[in-house]
């Protein structure tokens, strides 16, 4: 059992969590822009800012894309889970309109800036989400879209794409492994996943015990920094993809590659700060978010512990060290006024990471800490559902990983069996 600092202790029930999520869902619905025929909807979100500092930045509102990370598909996923728990008819209407809009834009591939291979911004994530929409009864016909979406992913194997969790192979593989549990899609999903992990292996920089991936092929970053650490763009996420395929097929080469990727990062671990350095700074700084730093990297190791039991003790030690850093970071952020509550790099994401690690390790202290964090956020912002977002200057954004939908999804996860999204497994 791990010991995590708790500077807050507010009890909350599942019903209160669902009520808070419903309030967010209704606020999102009220902010929607509708097509003339009332069948599709989209949103504006506070986006990138002009200016070189907060003092000179000017907020910019942009129409959302169609994908999971910060588009209509991610909002539909959240709204669908709220409808599943509440039966709210208006939430369902908005969710279905967002699904239709997502599919319309996904069909216009010229408008998709990221490879269809991507889980978070492409067709792999759409296939995973459409299966979920069908499974919960929100859109029974959505299941029929999955083979077509997978066909587009296979086509994209021949097109330029990156390797990481956000934009490429590493994000796609775990979702394909999940989809492969369905007999009708198993052969195709595992075939695509095999091609993606083989590409990861070919592009690895290897020595006797380590594997790492240069920034350009890994994430498209044209930088001279060493191979990156981290979950979203670095070795943790890429190594975990190989581990997930190993869990599905038992191929020893995938296990060996995954272990080597984790070992590259673990050789850099600083036990004095409970974190791995951010190699974008040449190793001079440390981050603490789902995307970069200890939280996401600890979560990857908690999942690796399940898939590679021969090294379970090794992975668990790092997972617990990163979880402590995550909890300490949450406590520090909660001392600031209106700190970001988003999933990607805010308090909501850190709390979701603690929940996920706690589930994977069977640690109720972590899961209870996550509930207490959610209770604190709801006490501060729940009445108006005005949760600070991950957009610059914390402006309004309804999306899944940058805005309100992700914060609400975290509440749904705490109250129900909704699928994990911080790590797909």
């Amino acid at each position: 059992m791990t010991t995590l600092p708790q500077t807050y202790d507010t009890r909350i029930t599942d019903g209160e969590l669902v009520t808070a999520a419903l309030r967010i869902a209704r606020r999102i619905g009220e902010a929607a822009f509708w097509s003339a025929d009332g069948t599709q909807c989209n949103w504006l979100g506070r986006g990138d800012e002009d200016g070189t500092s907060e003092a000179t930045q000017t907020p910019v509102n942009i129409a959302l894309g169609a994908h999971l990370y910060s588009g209509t598909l991610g909002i539909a996923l959240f709204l669908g889970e709220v409808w599943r728990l509440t039966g709210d008819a208006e939430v369902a209407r908005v969710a279905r309109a967002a699904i239709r809009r997502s599919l319309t834009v996904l069909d216009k591939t010229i408008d998709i800036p990221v490879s269809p291979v991507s889980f978070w911004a492409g067709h792999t994530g759409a296939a995973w989400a459409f299966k979920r929409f069908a499974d919960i009864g929100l859109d029974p016909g959505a299941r029929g879209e999955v083979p077509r979406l997978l066909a587009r992913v296979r086509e994209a194997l021949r097109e330029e794409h990156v390797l990481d969790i956000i934009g490429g192979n590493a994000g796609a593989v775990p979702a394909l492994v999940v989809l492969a549990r369905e007999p009708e899609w198993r052969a195709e999903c595992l075939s695509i996943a095999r091609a993606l992990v083989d590409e990861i292996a070919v592009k690895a920089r290897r020595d006797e015990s380590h594997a790492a991936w240069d920034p350009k092929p890994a994430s498209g970053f044209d930088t001279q920094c060493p191979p990156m650490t981290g979950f979203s763009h670095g070795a943790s996420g890429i190594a975990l993809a190989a581990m997930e395929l190993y869990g599905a097929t038992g191929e020893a080469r995938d296990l060996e590659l995954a272990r080597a990727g984790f070992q590259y990062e673990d050789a850099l671990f600083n036990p004095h700060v409970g974190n791995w350095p951010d190699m974008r700074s040449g190793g001079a700084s440390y981050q603490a978010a789902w995307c970069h730093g200890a939280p996401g990297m600890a979560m990857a190791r908690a999942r690796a512990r399940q898939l590679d039991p021969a090294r379970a003790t090794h992975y668990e030690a790092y997972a617990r060290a990163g979880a402590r850093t995550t909890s300490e970071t949450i406590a520090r952020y909660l001392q600031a006024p209106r700190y970001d509550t988003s999933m990607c790099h805010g308090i909501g994401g850190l709390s979701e990471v603690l929940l996920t690690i706690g589930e994977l390790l069977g640690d109720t202290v972590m899961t209870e800490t996550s509930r207490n964090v959610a209770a604190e956020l709801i006490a501060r912002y729940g009445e108006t559902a005005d949760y600070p977002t991950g957009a610059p200057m914390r402006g309004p954004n309804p999306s899944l990983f940058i805005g309100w939908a992700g914060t609400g999804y975290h509440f749904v996860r705490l109250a129900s069996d909704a699928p994990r999204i911080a790590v797909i497994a």
Side-chain angles (χ1 to χ4, degrees), residues 27 338 380-388 394 396 404:
R27 182 177 187 187
R338 285 191 62 79
R380 293 184 184 192
Y381 310 114
E383 186 172 347
T384 60
D386 182 26
Y387 295 87
R394 309 291 176 251
W404 301 323

Side-chain angles (χ1 to χ4, degrees), residues 223-241:
T223 175
Q224 299 304 308
C225 75
M228 287 190 290
T229 57
F231 187 69
S232 65
H233 300 296
S236 286
I238 297 173
L240 185 60

Side-chain angles (χ1 to χ4, degrees), residues 23 32 44 71 78 95 121 130 141 152 175 186 204-205 231 258 261 289 328 330 346 354 366 378 384 410:
R23 192 167 288 151
L44 292 176
F78 164 61
F130 272 67
R152 182 66 189 96
R186 180 172 176 81
R205 182 196 290 188
F231 187 69
E328 291 162 1
I330 291 171
L354 272 189
M366 292 189 198
I378 291 168
T384 60
H410 177 54

Side-chain angles (χ1 to χ4, degrees), residues 128-144:
W128 179 89
F130 272 67
K131 177 184 179 298
R132 182 63 181 173
F133 297 146
D135 287 348
I136 65 176
L138 178 66
D139 184 352
R143 188 179 181 91

Side-chain angles (χ1 to χ4, degrees), residues 76-425:
L77 181 68
F78 164 61
L79 296 178
E81 296 297 334
V82 172
W83 168 77
R84 178 175 69 92
L85 297 175
T86 66
D88 189 284
E90 178 60 15
V91 170
R93 183 178 80 93
V94 179
R96 291 172 183 136
I99 292 170
R100 285 190 288 270
R101 191 266 174 175
S102 300
L103 194 58
T104 297
V105 176
L106 285 166
D107 282 341
K108 298 177 180 178
T109 54
I110 191 171
D111 293 332
I112 305 297
V114 178
S115 169
V117 167
S118 171
F119 175 82
W120 286 109
H123 291 62
T124 304
W128 179 89
F130 272 67
K131 177 184 179 298
R132 182 63 181 173
F133 297 146
D135 287 348
I136 65 176
L138 178 66
D139 184 352
R143 188 179 181 91
E145 300 290 345
V146 173
R148 186 170 65 83
L149 293 165
L150 290 174
R152 182 66 189 96
V153 176
R154 179 168 287 282
E155 283 179 20
L157 297 179
R158 302 189 299 267
E159 302 166 4
E160 184 176 355
H161 57 272
V162 295
L163 303 176
D164 67 10
I165 285 282
I166 294 294
N169 300 31
V173 171
L176 290 164
V177 168
V178 170
L179 290 170
R181 295 170 189 162
E182 298 289 323
E184 65 193 284
W185 304 326
R186 180 172 176 81
E188 176 67 350
C189 287
L190 290 183
S191 173
I192 296 172
R194 174 79 272 155
L196 293 173
V197 174
D198 285 349
E199 183 181 16
I200 286 171
V202 166
K203 293 184 177 179
R205 182 196 290 188
R206 299 295 302 268
D207 61 24
E208 289 185 2
S209 59
H210 297 164
W213 292 267
D214 289 327
K216 184 67 172 178
S219 303
F221 296 154
D222 194 8
T223 175
Q224 299 304 308
C225 75
M228 287 190 290
T229 57
F231 187 69
S232 65
H233 300 296
S236 286
I238 297 173
L240 185 60
M243 189 76 82
E244 291 287 356
L245 187 58
Y246 165 73
T249 67
E251 290 272 357
R253 55 180 165 157
D254 300 324
L255 176 61
E256 187 272 336
L257 177 63
R259 285 175 171 177
F262 284 122
Q263 286 172 200
Y264 164 71
E265 289 187 334
D266 290 344
L268 298 168
F269 182 75
N270 185 337
H272 300 294
V273 297
N275 205 339
W276 294 260
D278 186 343
M279 303 313 290
R280 295 173 299 174
S281 66
S285 65
Y286 295 84
Q287 306 299 319
W290 170 86
C291 45
H292 294 283
M297 298 165 82
M299 182 183 63
R301 283 155 178 81
R303 175 60 178 157
R305 171 184 173 274
Q306 292 187 318
L307 296 167
D308 185 10
R311 295 195 178 183
T313 301
H314 172 86
Y315 295 123
E316 183 167 344
Y318 283 107
R320 290 189 179 278
R324 285 191 291 273
T325 299
T326 301
S327 186
E328 291 162 1
T329 303
I330 291 171
R332 186 169 69 253
Y333 288 170
L334 283 173
Q335 294 174 10
R338 285 191 62 79
Y339 195 88
D340 173 12
T341 63
S342 74
M343 289 290 287
C344 185
H345 37 262
I347 296 171
L350 295 175
S351 185
E352 179 67 23
V353 163
L354 272 189
L355 173 62
T356 300
I357 296 174
E359 290 171 339
L360 294 171
L361 299 185
D363 190 316
T364 58
V365 172
M366 292 189 198
T367 56
E368 280 303 305
T369 298
S370 183
R371 289 182 73 89
N372 292 339
V373 173
E376 179 67 21
L377 295 180
I378 291 168
R380 293 184 184 192
Y381 310 114
E383 186 172 347
T384 60
D386 182 26
Y387 295 87
T389 73
M393 297 170 66
R394 309 291 176 251
N397 189 298
S399 68
L400 186 64
F401 255 58
I402 300 297
W404 301 323
T407 306
Y409 194 93
H410 177 54
F411 300 158
V412 167
R413 277 261 295 128
L414 285 162
S416 75
D417 60 349
R420 294 187 187 112
I421 55 171
V423 60
I424 304 300

